[in-house]
């Protein structure tokens, strides 16, 4: 072989070796980068540790919702995480988003009564009571001894004025937990809405007799007693929860609600002549334009109850238990 051919052959071997070495080096770097990326992704997708979870749950509602949003994104099919995320969403008023999250996870976990209960509450907040009833019904079918499911179903039925169905659901709930205060209270309100004030009083008295009774129960009992004209008992029921002035004001408001409003003029129309004293003269107001007697204003006779007073001033209203 000539010297030129030998030199070219040696050069080719050197170039080949150099190229192979570069390719090998590049391949190793790419593999290292890929491995580092996979490690970072795996680290990012790891569920939060107990300390992180505890810190997030102590945070404000928005921070908590953001934390659980990220956790849910890591594993969208995780039941516990989805339920926790949905509850966090509800805490910030995002019931629409909570329904979306729960509905998607329900496809994977159709037999979760807890998921159905949270879904039902979110739907109730959206005032989609028919869908809420379906969710509660499924939960009750999955766990027939779950009093909470039957009680929630009853509340949803009451919201759409199906009081008979509501009371049947409350009966089922109380057959499981006879002394459940919230169920007894809501049962009493259901009976009151259906016009059975005696039955409402009985249920509310049972609720008020429970160790965990509260102001809301006593307010409802007081109102039902007042609607029956039992004003002394009404004052006794609510006396420890409101100033005497407010208790007396509530009693007077209820008297006006359950008794027809009458005026002297209305009574005079039906009275025999001479049986009533003369109509009182209206007050005279000082001033040049007001020396003449002012015309009296009368209120028509009616047997319908007066309008419900503004509850923000008196606290007088029926309120469901949670």
């Amino acid at each position: 072989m000539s010297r030129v051919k030998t030199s070219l052959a040696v050069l080719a071997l050197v170039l080949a070796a150099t190229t192979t070495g570069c390719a090998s080096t590049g391949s190793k770097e790419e593999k290292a980068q890929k491995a580092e990326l996979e490690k970072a992704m795996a680290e990012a997708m790891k569920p939060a540790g107990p300390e992180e979870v505890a810190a997030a749950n102590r945070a404000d509602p928005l921070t908590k919702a953001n934390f659980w949003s990220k956790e849910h994104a890591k594993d969208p099919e995780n039941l516990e995480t989805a339920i926790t995320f949905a509850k966090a969403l509800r805490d910030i008023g995002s019931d629409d988003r909570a329904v979306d999250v729960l509905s998607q996870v329900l496809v994977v976990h159709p037999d979760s009564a807890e998921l159905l209960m949270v879904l039902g509450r979110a739907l109730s907040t959206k005032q989609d009571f028919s869908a809420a009833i379906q969710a509660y019904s499924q939960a009750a079918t999955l766990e027939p001894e779950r009093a909470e499911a039957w009680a929630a179903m009853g509340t949803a039925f009451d919201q759409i004025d199906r009081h008979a169905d509501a009371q049947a659901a409350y009966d089922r709930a109380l057959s499981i937990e006879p002394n459940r205060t919230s169920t007894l209270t809501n049962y009493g309100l259901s009976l009151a809405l259906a016009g059975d004030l005696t039955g409402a009083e009985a249920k509310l008295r049972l609720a008020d007799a429970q160790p965990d009774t509260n102001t809301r129960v006593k307010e409802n009992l007081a109102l039902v007693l007042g609607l029956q004209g039992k004003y002394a008992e009404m004052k006794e029921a609510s006396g420890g929860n409101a100033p005497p002035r407010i208790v007396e004001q509530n009693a007077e408001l209820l008297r006006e609600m359950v008794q027809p409003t009458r005026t002297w003029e209305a009574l005079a129309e039906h009275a025999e002549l001479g049986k009533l004293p003369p109509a009182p003269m209206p007050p005279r107001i000082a001033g040049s334009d007001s020396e003449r007697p002012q015309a009296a204003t009368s209120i028509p006779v009616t047997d319908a109850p007066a309008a419900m007073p503004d509850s923000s001033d008196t606290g007088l209203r029926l309120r469901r238990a949670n």
Side-chain angles (χ1 to χ4, degrees), residues 59-253:
D60 62 273
L62 186 58
T63 299
K64 182 179 177 181
N66 285 331
F67 171 84
W68 285 109
S69 174
K70 294 174 183 176
E71 291 300 297
H72 176 64
K74 295 175 184 178
D75 186 2
E77 295 184 359
N78 184 287
L79 177 61
E80 185 177 350
T81 301
I83 290 174
T84 306
F85 178 35
K87 289 179 178 178
L89 286 169
R90 295 197 66 224
D91 288 341
I92 60 172
S94 295
D95 288 283
D96 287 336
R97 176 74 176 121
V99 169
D100 289 341
V101 169
L102 294 167
S103 298
Q104 291 168 13
V105 179
L106 185 61
V107 176
V108 185
H109 301 280
D111 296 331
S112 172
E114 179 61 24
L115 186 152
L116 287 162
M117 290 300 300
V118 180
L119 177 59
R121 293 188 190 103
L123 289 165
S124 291
T125 302
K126 285 165 50 65
Q127 299 196 3
D128 188 351
F129 298 113
S130 295
I133 289 167
Q134 290 183 345
Y136 294 138
S137 178
Q138 286 180 266
T141 300
L142 289 167
E143 296 184 12
E145 295 304 304
R146 187 166 186 152
E148 174 192 21
W150 295 104
M153 196 191 312
T155 303
F157 274 129
D158 268 330
Q159 293 282 2
I160 56 175
D161 296 328
R162 290 173 58 179
H163 303 307
D165 290 325
Q167 290 154 28
Y170 294 137
D171 277 327
R172 185 63 183 270
L174 291 172
S175 71
I176 301 166
E177 294 183 25
N179 299 320
R180 198 166 191 266
T181 305
S182 60
T183 305
L184 287 166
T185 302
N186 289 335
Y187 199 163
L189 299 185
S190 180
L191 290 166
L193 291 170
D196 183 1
L197 293 178
T198 302
E201 178 187 342
K203 294 298 181 188
L204 289 167
R205 285 194 183 279
L206 280 174
D208 193 38
Q210 302 309 312
D212 60 342
T213 187
N214 53 47
T215 301
R216 182 169 296 186
V217 176
K218 294 180 184 297
E219 287 179 354
N220 288 325
L221 174 58
L223 182 53
V224 167
L225 289 168
L227 289 171
Q228 296 177 85
K230 300 178 179 180
Y231 304 117
E233 293 177 64
M234 172 190 171
K235 292 179 185 179
E236 183 180 351
S238 60
N241 301 291
R245 180 183 63 81
I246 296 298
V247 173
E248 184 59 43
Q249 182 182 4
N250 285 345
E252 185 59 34
L253 286 168

